[in-house]
């Protein structure tokens, strides 16, 4: 019978004890005891005891765990019967006592939905049973709901993370339950960044990432689980204190080897699992049933059978199992490591090893430190069982951040004579539970548990190998980045994009390693290889301090630095400067890069520099210069059969042509580029060209085709997480909605685009999005909002020298002025805008024409021809900076 089969109330009513009903419901759901154990996070033996009415769970646990596990959410009467039978069994009432009247269905449904309703979260799914802490889960549910901060403390490997996640999975908060995993990082400065990334809140101009996080959480009611705080305890304590003071409805569960010691903290010590008592003359463990009430023994038995499916324990094994549980202090990680050895050793051999390795310290130190020593002994034992080659690999793997691939491991491994291949050594470490396999990506990735990683890193330092291995790690990821750079312009783009995304933590570690060792040459190389990728993913500003340092060192050591390295430093910093709107400095840096032309093999780098200079010239309104640079880019690409470069330069020429009003020619150039883009197969290139082509065909009046092109561009860019193109396409979708009079939809698109662009820090496009929001407000006669948008855009344009958006901003302010009954000021601004438009040769786009014509008509009618012309001419002849200053100083009308 499936879970959706009709409910047989007569059968359910006939069952008079909890265990019988639970067994019936399990069988009705076509579940074995093992199936239910996995679904509920229990052991098989616990399910068996429940079906025999032994140690029954309380009402909260039944609702939170067994109701969803058995699929009973839609059967309130069945659930009430199960709850009543459990209460009857626990309280042992009179057998003749009639069951209470069932609670009404709406009330029960509300209670159930509180426990099981889906909510946003990023919690991982449990793949193994949860053993021995059921009562802790129930108690912590209340503690977490009643307290803002609960910290689970205890020795490493005791199960703090598992318990925290088990509790989190049973709780519902309106804004979700979220896990912040600190294991991949070792630097306190990255904690806030990781938290901001969790909520997709990159730093915006003028605000730190911490300010963005606080602003986001201020009105949220959610549970945040911060896992593995111990190695960043001071940073975590300060962060938690800031967050709790700022966000009144935020709840936090932290796991750490020690308390955070912040105001309002409730500490929950996580004790080791209960173990069988030491044998005495009066009492000893002689049979397997005697072990069933001890969670440590349950965990060991189940994990041992998981690694060796044909393993069957007998009563003769019971004393050995009891002894193992005692010697490792009931610590789950130690138990699992010991259980894994059942694949290769007899229990008696394991006991002998544990007796030598796990003698507990009794020096009077605090408990956490003693338990840490016990855990270290457990890992020491596992480590000592490794072959020299396995141990060397484990030590080397400790330098990875966020995981690694087999190829990366092979780059670090010592392939000495007589060693097994790295893939075989890695496989053995996986088998021995020291390395975790992650199959989520196309390429298998591996990672270390943080406890093992810390241990292995300490061994690496102890062996004097840290510097050499870190150099190997950084060198590998530098080579990977440089290999990826040209391939990001190829048909393999999507594959390499994903690979770079997966390795971001390793690239960051490599960059900081080179910086810490004053290796400016390698920092410059890595920066040049990744700056384009960082730019598109909003990471470039984070790494700019390292790149600026490298450029300063290159300049200082100019005489001894190779020209190619100097060029890389100039290019990466120039890219960051251009992106942030510092066009003057960016142009200076890129022009200094042109010396690469003297190096015959550096043509690829030259194309990038030419394209960057052309972009700056375009934003500054120097279309003749932009065209000349782009044509040079085109010629160089054709000379080297660089199809992607040809397509890119044709796209740029098409956009320049469109901006100057030749929409037919622009469409032809962009279509030619699109054919080449598809030949090469670069998804980002196709998306970008389709975006520009949509603007050209929009000007020609083909709105359906324009929308089709934008939709496809958005799909491609989103798949690659290319936020730069996503933002650009989104603002153009807003224009399309505006032209079709759907102003609310248009506003939604423009605000979304503005948010993305501010996160990316691309000031030139921020100014454009602000102008378009101003246009929408003006169309809806929201004059104060329109003025604010235009003023903010003009301020940015003046700072960075962006004349494209400046013209639209001036004309928009003229529209605000004329509707505010200031026609002379409107005419003055129109004249200034027209002078700027004529100077740079930019055409007026279709979405701005209606408001412009309305502004001119109203101002002309209000002033008359002579006064209008006089004010208009005054605007044309007044210095542009003076016009902008006056417009910004005027405030809203």
């Amino acid at each position: 019978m499936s879970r959706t089969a009709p409910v047989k109330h007569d059968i359910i009513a006939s069952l008079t004890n909890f265990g019988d009903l639970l067994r019936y419901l399990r069988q009705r759901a076509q579940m074995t005891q093992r199936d239910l154990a996995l679904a509920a996070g229990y052991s098989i033996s616990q399910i068996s005891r429940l079906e025999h009415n032994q140690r029954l769970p309380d009402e909260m646990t039944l609702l939170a765990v067994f109701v969803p596990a058995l699929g009973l959410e839609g059967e309130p009467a069945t659930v009430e019967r199960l709850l009543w039978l459990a209460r009857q069994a626990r309280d042992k009432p009179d057998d003749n006592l009639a069951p209470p009247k069932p609670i009404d269905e709406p009330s029960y449904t509300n209670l159930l939905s509180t426990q099981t309703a889906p909510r946003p979260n990023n919690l991982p799914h449990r793949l193994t049973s949860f053993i021995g802490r059921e009562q802790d889960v129930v108690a912590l549910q209340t503690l977490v709901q009643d307290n803002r901060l609960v910290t689970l403390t205890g020795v490493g490997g005791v199960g703090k993370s598992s318990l925290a996640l088990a509790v989190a999975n049973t709780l519902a908060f309106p804004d979700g339950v979220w896990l912040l995993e600190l294991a991949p990082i070792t630097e306190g400065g990255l904690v806030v960044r990781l938290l901001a990334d969790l909520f997709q809140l990159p730093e915006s101009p003028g605000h730190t990432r911490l300010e963005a996080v606080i602003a986001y959480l201020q009105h949220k009611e959610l549970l945040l689980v911060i896992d593995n705080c111990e190695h960043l305890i001071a940073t975590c304590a300060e962060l938690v204190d800031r967050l709790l003071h700022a966000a009144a409805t935020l709840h936090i569960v932290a796991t750490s080897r020690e308390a955070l010691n912040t105001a309002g903290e409730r500490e929950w010590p996580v004790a080791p699992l209960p173990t069988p008592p030491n044998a005495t003359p009066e009492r000893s463990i002689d049979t397997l049933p005697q072990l069933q009430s001890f969670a440590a023994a349950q965990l060991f038995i189940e994990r041992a059978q998981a690694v060796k499916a044909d393993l069957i324990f007998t009563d003769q094994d019971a004393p050995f199992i009891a002894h193992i549980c005692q010697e490792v202090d009931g610590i789950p990680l130690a138990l699992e490591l010991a259980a894994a050895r059942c694949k290769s050793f007899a229990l008696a051999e394991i006991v002998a090893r544990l007796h030598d390795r796990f003698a507990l310290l009794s020096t009077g130190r605090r408990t956490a430190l003693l338990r840490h020593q016990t855990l270290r002994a457990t890992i020491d034992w596992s480590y000592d069982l490794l072959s020299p080659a396995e141990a060397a690999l484990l030590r080397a793997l400790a330098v990875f951040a966020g995981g690694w691939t087999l190829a990366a491991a092979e780059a670090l491994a010592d392939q000495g004579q007589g060693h097994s291949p790295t893939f075989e050594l890695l496989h053995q470490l996986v088998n021995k539970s020291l390395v975790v396999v992650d199959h989520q990506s196309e390429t298998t990735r591996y990672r270390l548990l943080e406890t093992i990683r810390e241990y292995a890193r300490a061994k690496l330092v102890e062996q004097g190998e840290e510097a050499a291995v870190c150099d190997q790690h950084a060198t590998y990821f530098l080579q990977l980045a440089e290999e990826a750079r040209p391939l990001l312009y190829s048909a393999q783009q999507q594959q390499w994009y994903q690979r770079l995304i997966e390795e971001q933590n390793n690239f960051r570690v490599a960059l900081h390693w080179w910086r810490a060792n004053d290796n400016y040459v390698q920092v410059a190389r890595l920066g040049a290889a990744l700056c384009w990728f960082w730019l598109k993913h909003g990471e470039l500003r984070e790494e700019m301090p390292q790149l600026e340092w490298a450029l300063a060192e290159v300049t200082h050591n100019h005489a001894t630095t190779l020209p190619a390295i100097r060029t890389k430093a100039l290019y990466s910093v120039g890219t960051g400067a251009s992106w942030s709107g510092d066009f003057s400095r960016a142009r200076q840096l890129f022009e200094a890069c042109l010396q690469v032309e003297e190096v015959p093999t550096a043509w690829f780098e030259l194309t990038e520099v030419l394209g960057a200079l052309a972009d700056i010239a375009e934003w500054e309104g120097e279309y003749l210069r932009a065209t000349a640079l782009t044509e040079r880019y085109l010629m160089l690409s054709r000379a080297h059969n660089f199809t992607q470069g040809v397509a890119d330069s044709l796209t740029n020429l098409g956009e320049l042509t469109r901006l100057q009003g030749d929409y037919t020619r622009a469409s032809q150039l962009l279509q030619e580029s699109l054919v080449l883009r598809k030949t090469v197969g670069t998804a980002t290139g196709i998306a970008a060209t389709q975006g520009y082509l949509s603007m050209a065909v929009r000007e020609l009046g083909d709105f359906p085709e324009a929308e089709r092109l934008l939709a496809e561009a958005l799909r491609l860019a989103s798949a690659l997480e290319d936020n730069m193109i996503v933002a650009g396409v989104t603002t153009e979708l807003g224009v399309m909605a505006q032209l079709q009079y759907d102003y609310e939809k248009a506003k939604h698109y423009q605000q979304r685009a503005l948010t993305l662009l501010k996160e990316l820090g691309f000031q030139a496009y921020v100014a454009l999005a602000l102008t378009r929001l101003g246009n929408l407000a003006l169309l809806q006669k929201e004059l104060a909002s329109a003025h604010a948008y235009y003023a903010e855009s003009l301020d940015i344009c003046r700072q960075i020298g962006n004349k494209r958006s400046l013209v639209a901003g001036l004309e928009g302010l003229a529209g605000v002025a004329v509707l505010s009954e200031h026609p002379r000021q409107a005419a003055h601004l129109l004249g200034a805008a027209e002078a700027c438009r004529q100077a740079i040769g930019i055409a007026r786009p279709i979405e701005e024409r209606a408001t412009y014509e309305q502004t001119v008509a109203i101002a002309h009618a209000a002033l008359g021809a002579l006064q209008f012309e006089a004010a208009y001419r005054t605007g044309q002849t007044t210095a542009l900076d003076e016009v902008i200053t006056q417009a910004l100083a005027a405030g809203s009308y």
Side-chain angles (χ1 to χ4, degrees):
M1 177 183 293
S2 69
R3 288 194 178 194
T4 59
V7 179
K8 296 186 176 180
H9 295 287
D10 54 337
I11 297 178
I12 292 173
S14 70
L15 299 174
T16 58
N17 68 69
F18 173 89
D20 288 344
L21 179 55
L22 179 65
R23 185 182 301 106
Y24 167 77
L25 293 173
R26 172 178 61 76
Q27 292 172 345
R28 189 190 69 174
Q30 297 183 341
M31 301 175 75
T32 64
Q33 286 188 342
R34 181 178 180 82
D35 293 334
L36 182 55
L38 289 173
Y42 276 49
S43 68
I44 298 173
S45 60
Q46 285 174 305
I47 298 298
S48 177
R49 288 200 302 276
L50 290 177
E51 293 185 353
H52 287 86
N53 296 298
Q54 300 171 7
R55 295 185 64 187
L56 302 187
D58 62 12
E59 182 172 311
M60 185 67 74
T61 301
L62 285 171
L63 286 173
V65 178
F66 285 86
V67 166
L70 292 166
L72 302 178
E73 295 92 334
E75 299 180 37
T78 302
V79 173
E80 181 56 27
R81 178 73 177 174
L82 190 68
L83 294 176
W84 179 75
L85 288 174
R87 287 194 297 269
Q88 186 185 44
R90 282 197 304 272
D91 300 337
K92 294 183 171 56
D94 190 323
D95 290 340
N96 296 319
L97 182 64
K101 292 177 66 176
I103 59 176
D104 61 89
E105 184 167 326
S107 174
Y108 166 74
T109 303
N110 291 337
L111 175 62
L112 187 62
S113 65
T114 300
Q115 298 298 323
T116 62
R119 75 278 190 188
N121 72 81
N122 67 334
L123 302 180
H125 296 290
R126 174 171 289 280
L127 300 179
T128 58
S129 57
F130 185 68
I131 295 174
R133 302 198 192 275
E134 296 83 7
Q135 296 307 314
D136 286 358
V137 171
V138 174
L140 278 166
Q141 288 171 342
T142 302
L143 194 66
V144 172
Q145 290 171 326
D146 292 346
N147 295 272
R148 304 279 312 289
L149 171 63
V150 176
T151 303
L152 277 57
T153 60
V155 65
V158 77
K160 302 182 294 294
S161 300
S162 294
L163 179 56
L165 292 173
V167 173
N169 269 302
T170 67
L171 295 174
F173 282 73
D175 295 304
V177 182
W178 300 92
L179 171 64
L180 178 67
E181 174 57 72
L182 300 184
I185 64 172
T186 58
E187 296 180 24
L190 297 178
V191 174
V192 172
R193 175 175 181 163
L194 203 62
L195 182 56
D197 288 345
L198 175 65
F199 297 116
Q200 301 180 359
L201 300 171
E203 183 180 351
S204 59
H207 296 84
T208 65
R209 285 182 179 269
L210 178 56
E211 290 169 342
V213 169
I214 289 174
Y216 176 80
L217 293 176
Q218 197 166 23
H219 303 295
K220 293 287 190 295
E221 186 175 351
L222 60 75
L223 174 63
L224 176 64
V225 180
I226 306 179
D227 197 23
N228 289 301
C229 296
E230 56 270 4
H231 58 305
L232 301 167
I233 191 74
T235 299
C236 291
E238 181 180 355
L239 174 63
V240 165
D241 188 71
R242 289 284 302 274
L243 294 179
L244 291 176
H245 276 90
T249 54
L250 171 67
H251 288 244
I252 294 177
V253 171
T255 71
S256 177
R257 294 184 186 182
E258 59 183 302
L260 300 182
N261 291 325
T262 61
E265 181 181 31
R266 289 294 302 271
E267 183 179 357
W268 180 277
V270 180
L273 296 175
T275 63
N278 291 323
T280 65
E282 295 78 24
R283 181 180 180 183
S284 61
I285 301 294
D286 300 314
T287 65
L288 287 177
Q290 290 177 284
L291 296 175
Q292 289 184 352
S293 60
F294 300 103
Q298 296 169 25
L299 179 64
F300 179 85
I301 291 170
E302 183 162 318
R303 297 299 191 263
Q305 291 175 333
V307 299
K308 190 170 172 47
D310 60 350
L311 183 60
I312 298 175
F313 290 116
T314 67
D315 286 345
Q316 292 180 339
D317 297 316
F320 295 112
I321 294 173
H323 189 73
I324 291 170
C325 293
Q326 295 157 6
E327 289 295 316
V328 302
D329 240 9
I331 296 173
L333 176 59
L335 288 164
E336 295 200 8
L337 289 170
R341 302 307 156 215
C342 289
K343 186 187 297 185
S344 306
F345 298 95
L347 286 176
E349 294 173 318
I350 294 175
V351 167
R353 303 277 305 184
L354 288 172
H355 183 268
D356 293 335
R357 299 290 178 173
F358 294 144
L360 296 177
L361 301 176
S362 56
T363 59
R365 299 177 183 176
R366 63 180 184 174
T367 303
L369 181 57
L370 291 174
R371 292 177 180 174
H372 175 76
Q373 295 296 324
T374 302
L375 178 63
R376 184 173 180 81
T378 303
I379 306 173
D380 271 335
W381 166 73
S382 182
Y383 180 81
D384 288 344
L385 289 175
L386 299 176
S387 69
E390 290 170 344
L393 178 59
L394 181 64
R395 294 194 300 271
L397 297 177
V399 303
F400 287 107
W404 68 88
T405 63
L406 174 60
E410 289 175 329
L412 268 63
D414 179 11
Q415 301 289 337
Q417 186 175 5
H419 287 178
S420 301
T422 300
F423 73 85
E424 180 60 33
L425 296 175
L426 187 58
H427 178 68
Q428 291 304 318
L429 292 177
V430 171
N431 283 343
K432 294 172 182 178
S433 302
L434 292 171
V435 171
V436 178
V437 184
D438 184 357
H439 292 293
Q440 293 182 352
S441 60
E442 291 184 6
T443 302
T444 302
R445 292 183 65 79
Y446 305 86
R447 60 183 174 86
L448 291 176
L449 296 174
E450 182 58 22
T451 303
I452 304 299
R453 183 170 179 262
E454 288 183 2
Y455 175 90
R457 188 65 179 249
K459 285 291 184 182
L460 191 71
V461 174
E462 181 184 306
Q463 294 292 321
E465 301 167 338
E466 184 182 36
V469 174
C470 286
D471 273 340
Q472 287 177 298
H473 172 273
T475 298
Y476 172 79
F477 284 102
L478 172 59
Q479 291 171 346
L480 182 67
E482 290 184 330
E483 179 184 1
R485 185 183 181 189
L487 293 171
L488 292 176
Y489 298 90
S490 73
Q492 301 175 54
Q493 182 187 69
Q494 190 161 1
Q495 168 191 340
W496 281 92
Y497 247 93
Q498 186 58 42
R499 191 165 180 184
L500 294 185
I501 290 170
E502 290 175 344
E503 301 295 3
Q504 283 189 83
N505 286 332
N506 281 311
F507 288 129
R508 192 171 296 125
V509 167
L511 187 72
H512 286 265
W513 172 258
W514 293 132
R515 172 63 182 88
N517 287 276
D518 294 328
N519 195 327
Y520 65 88
V521 171
Q522 306 298 54
V523 171
R525 289 175 60 188
L526 191 58
L530 291 177
C531 64
W532 189 71
F533 171 79
W534 284 334
L535 178 152
K536 286 176 168 285
H537 287 262
E539 305 288 336
L540 183 55
R541 283 184 301 169
E542 302 295 330
E543 312 303 348
M544 280 302 293
Q546 319 301 331
L547 307 184
E548 291 277 13
W549 169 81
L551 178 58
E553 291 297 306
V554 165
T555 303
H556 179 71
N557 297 282
H558 182 274
T560 57
T561 302
L562 294 173
I565 299 301
R566 183 167 182 268
T567 298
K568 292 178 186 298
L570 290 165
Y571 176 75
S572 61
V573 175
T575 300
S578 176
W579 197 242
S580 65
D582 192 350
F583 291 151
S584 177
R585 185 180 183 220
R587 183 171 56 253
Q588 179 185 17
L589 293 169
F590 285 135
E591 286 174 349
C593 284
L594 291 178
Q595 63 183 296
V596 299
E597 187 178 14
E598 301 170 3
V599 184
T601 59
W603 64 267
F604 174 76
E605 287 80 1
L606 179 56
T607 62
E608 292 186 313
V609 172
L610 291 171
L613 284 169
D615 287 341
I616 293 172
E618 178 187 320
W619 283 107
E620 292 182 325
E622 298 179 7
Y623 293 155
L624 290 178
R625 173 174 166 76
T627 300
L629 287 164
T630 305
E631 287 176 343
R632 185 178 172 192
Y633 178 10
L634 176 62
M635 179 181 66
L636 188 62
S637 297
R638 282 177 170 161
H640 290 276
N641 295 317
F642 182 36
T643 305
Q644 173 65 18
V646 173
D648 192 45
S649 52
L650 286 173
T651 293
N652 293 345
L653 286 172
E655 173 63 357
L656 285 165
T657 304
R658 182 193 70 84
L659 289 169
Q660 296 172 84
D662 189 347
Y663 305 121
T664 300
R665 176 60 180 156
S667 180
Q668 292 170 348
L669 287 168
L670 290 164
Q671 286 173 344
E672 183 181 353
S673 173
L674 187 57
V675 170
L676 294 175
R677 295 280 203 199
K678 291 180 177 179
T679 299
V680 176
T682 51
T684 58
I686 294 170
T689 300
Q690 288 187 157
Y692 289 125
L693 181 58
S694 75
M695 292 182 255
V697 300
R698 179 174 70 208
E699 296 289 348
L700 294 171
D702 191 347
F703 285 10
E705 177 64 6
E707 289 195 313
R708 185 195 69 79
L709 288 165
L710 288 173
E712 177 64 12
L714 184 62
R715 184 188 68 79
L716 290 171
S718 298
L720 288 176
E721 300 178 31
D722 189 331
N723 291 333
M724 180 174 68
I725 295 179
V726 168
V729 171
T730 301
T731 187
E732 298 306 327
L733 285 168
V735 171
M736 292 303 306
Q738 173 192 322
L739 290 171
Q740 297 171 78
Y741 308 104
D742 190 343
Y743 296 147
E744 285 305 310
K745 185 177 181 181
K747 185 177 181 180
H748 168 75
Y749 278 130
Q750 297 298 358
Q751 288 180 332
R752 181 183 172 201
L754 180 62
T755 299
L756 280 172
L757 291 165
K758 285 185 173 181
E759 290 171 356
L760 289 166
F762 191 8
Q763 293 296 85
Y765 259 111
V766 166
L768 177 63
L770 286 167
T771 298
R772 288 173 167 177
L773 280 166
N775 294 343
L776 286 167
L778 183 60
L779 285 166
Q780 297 174 86
K781 305 297 189 292
E782 298 171 357
L783 303 185
S785 293
H787 187 280
Y789 284 129
Y790 289 134
E792 186 178 354
S793 176
L794 278 177
D795 190 42
I796 293 173
C797 290
R798 182 170 61 174
Q799 290 179 39
I800 69 176
N802 173 12
K803 293 183 180 177
R804 276 180 56 180
S805 298
L806 188 149
V807 174
L810 289 173
E811 290 183 348
L813 280 180
V816 174
V818 79
L819 293 178
S820 303
E821 299 182 356
H822 292 275
R824 190 177 303 279
Q825 175 67 7
H828 184 75
L829 289 168
L830 288 171
E834 184 60 25
C836 185
R837 187 180 293 281
Q838 292 295 328
I840 66 177
I842 188 172
R844 183 175 292 105
I846 188 173
E847 67 270 16
E848 297 173 10
R849 292 172 197 163
T851 52
Y852 173 79
E853 291 168 0
Q854 173 184 277
T855 300
V856 171
I858 295 174
H860 197 280
L863 294 172
L866 291 177
Q867 290 188 52
F868 178 86
E869 289 298 329
Y872 191 87
R873 283 196 300 272
T874 301
Q876 285 182 306
T877 57
T878 303
L880 192 58
D881 282 345
E882 184 179 342
V883 172
I884 297 172
T885 299
Q886 292 173 356
L888 295 178
S892 59
Y893 299 101

